[in-house]
Amino acid sequence: MAQFKAAESKLEQFRSYLEQADVLENLTNVLVALYEEPEKPTNALEFVKEHLGIPKPEPVDVESLRAEVAELRQRYEKLLEENRDLKEKLLQIESAQEEEQHVE
């Protein structure tokens, strides 16, 4: 019996929290608006999201994203090549400096 009362107490606390945060009022308003719609929407969840002010995700332009990825890959490859060239030049300069030091 004590377990039932503890669960009931938690439920009351949660209900109170929802009331204080205006969650129940907002949900009630949205559900009333849905009920009063003369033509029910085919997607009730989208209706609820829209009336709660949840923004719709922007449509993704897959082709432009693919083009951007391809461009970034090319740039990456160029930078890798440039990096290899610069490392090679650095090694040449360092070895030339070492030879100069040994000659002196």
Side-chain angles (χ1 to χ4, degrees), residues 2-83:
Q3 200 174 21
F4 180 72
K5 287 185 179 183
E8 190 175 304
S9 173
K10 284 185 179 182
L11 183 61
E12 279 302 316
Q13 289 175 351
F14 185 65
R15 182 175 293 141
S16 174
Y17 162 73
L18 292 176
E19 285 176 7
Q20 289 174 357
D22 289 332
V23 173
L24 292 179
E25 182 180 344
N26 285 314
L27 285 176
T28 301
N29 291 339
V30 170
L31 293 175
V32 166
L34 179 59
Y35 176 77
E36 292 175 347
E37 272 297 304
E39 290 189 30
K40 303 296 182 232
T42 56
N43 190 337
L45 186 56
E46 285 301 317
F47 179 91
V48 170
K49 286 179 181 180
E50 183 179 312
H51 281 75
L52 286 176
I54 299 172
K56 291 182 181 181
E58 293 183 24
V60 177
D61 184 4
V62 176
E63 287 307 312
S64 69
L65 290 176
R66 284 186 179 147
E68 184 178 354
V69 167
E71 179 185 328
L72 291 172
R73 281 186 179 147
Q74 287 177 345
R75 186 172 172 206
Y76 170 76
E77 291 299 325
K78 278 185 176 180
L79 289 172
L80 279 179
E81 187 177 332
E82 183 180 339
N83 187 307

